[in-house]
Amino acid sequence: MGHESVEDYQWPPVASAQEMKDAKLPLAYRDRCASLLIPLNKCRHEFYYLPWKCIDERHAYEKCEYMEFQARVNALKRQKAAAARAAAEAEAAAALSS
């Protein structure tokens, strides 16, 4: 039972800045997953935040946020690996020149 990778995840369409502003989303929540948060918040308001309502919307939003987190983690790993390679190359070049 495999998990979906960040590369295979179908990202939702990005909400426009105006849509996020109209939905009064705080700046911290205006990311790639905002287009899923807008209908989730509407559903939450409609059902007075009952925990057994809006389950599908909440799951979709939370999965999107998790995939966004995984994308950031992968980007940081790539950045650290590139920095380590550059440092190793610089060390090798310094050893050859001396």
Side-chain angles (χ1 to χ4, degrees):
M1 184 169 161
H3 295 282
E4 188 174 19
S5 69
V6 174
E7 293 81 22
D8 297 335
Y9 181 67
Q10 295 295 317
W11 294 100
V14 178
S16 69
Q18 189 60 45
E19 289 173 326
M20 291 185 269
K21 182 179 176 184
D22 293 343
K24 298 179 183 173
L25 289 183
L27 292 176
Y29 294 95
R30 296 183 185 192
D31 58 5
R32 279 201 270 193
C33 303
S35 63
L36 298 174
L37 181 59
I38 293 169
L40 173 59
N41 282 344
K42 286 179 184 176
C43 181
R44 285 173 168 169
H45 288 297
E46 181 181 338
F47 292 106
Y48 303 103
Y49 284 80
L50 292 173
W52 57 88
K53 299 290 185 177
C54 312
I55 293 171
D56 293 336
E57 292 90 345
R58 187 184 61 164
H59 177 72
Y61 175 69
E62 288 175 350
K63 181 173 183 174
C64 183
E65 284 295 322
Y66 176 74
M67 292 307 230
E68 177 72 22
F69 169 75
Q70 288 298 319
R72 288 193 309 269
V73 168
N74 291 344
L76 182 61
K77 284 181 184 177
R78 285 191 302 271
Q79 183 180 9
K80 285 183 177 182
R85 278 193 306 274
E89 290 171 2
E91 187 178 316
L96 288 175
S97 67
S98 56

